Amino acid sequence: EALAPTRVPGDEVLALGKPSIETVKAGEQLMEALDLAEEHEMQQAVHQKELQRVEQSMDAQELEELRKRGRPAVAAPTPNPQLLGLTPLAYVLRILKRIRSSDLE
């Protein structure tokens, strides 16, 4: 069983204690948020590369026509609803703010 560091009252030294259920859940929530944010960022990077590739293969007239219509050359990936409409960083910060500081030690 893994041991989590806990503060000893009146002492600056950290002692090892058993992790609480809340601490484990908090760690899992944070890891899930980080994974979700990373997945979103990777999807965006793939989309940008594909967009650049397609735009480079188009002639200037086709590209200008698409821009006039306000249409991208490649459709953007569907946003992940788990991000709640937030940017990946804002989502991770939202999850992090919900975790008690004592569960982060």
Side-chain angles (χ1 to χ4, degrees):
E1 211 174 284
L3 297 178
T6 56
R7 293 221 179 260
V8 176
D11 193 355
E12 303 260 332
V13 178
L14 293 178
L16 295 179
K18 291 185 180 179
S20 68
I21 293 173
E22 291 81 19
T23 302
V24 172
K25 284 183 181 180
E28 288 174 355
Q29 287 175 344
L30 185 55
M31 290 304 299
E32 287 173 7
L34 290 169
D35 289 343
L36 192 61
E38 182 180 28
E39 179 183 325
H40 177 79
E41 291 295 321
M42 288 186 344
Q43 287 176 346
Q44 291 299 319
V46 168
H47 170 68
Q48 285 300 319
K49 286 182 182 180
E50 180 66 11
L51 183 61
Q52 287 175 351
R53 187 189 66 75
V54 169
E55 286 181 349
Q56 288 175 353
S57 69
M58 297 175 82
D59 64 31
Q61 186 178 6
E62 289 176 311
L63 192 55
E64 184 62 32
E65 188 65 31
L66 281 175
R67 288 186 176 149
K68 282 182 183 178
R69 293 181 183 170
R71 294 185 177 180
V74 176
T78 305
N80 189 325
Q82 289 178 304
L83 290 175
L84 308 172
L86 301 170
T87 65
L89 178 59
Y91 179 74
V92 170
L93 288 175
R94 181 174 191 247
I95 297 298
L96 193 56
K97 285 179 183 179
R98 292 170 53 192
I99 299 172
R100 295 184 323 207
S101 61
S102 62
D103 291 337
L104 292 174
E105 290 186 16

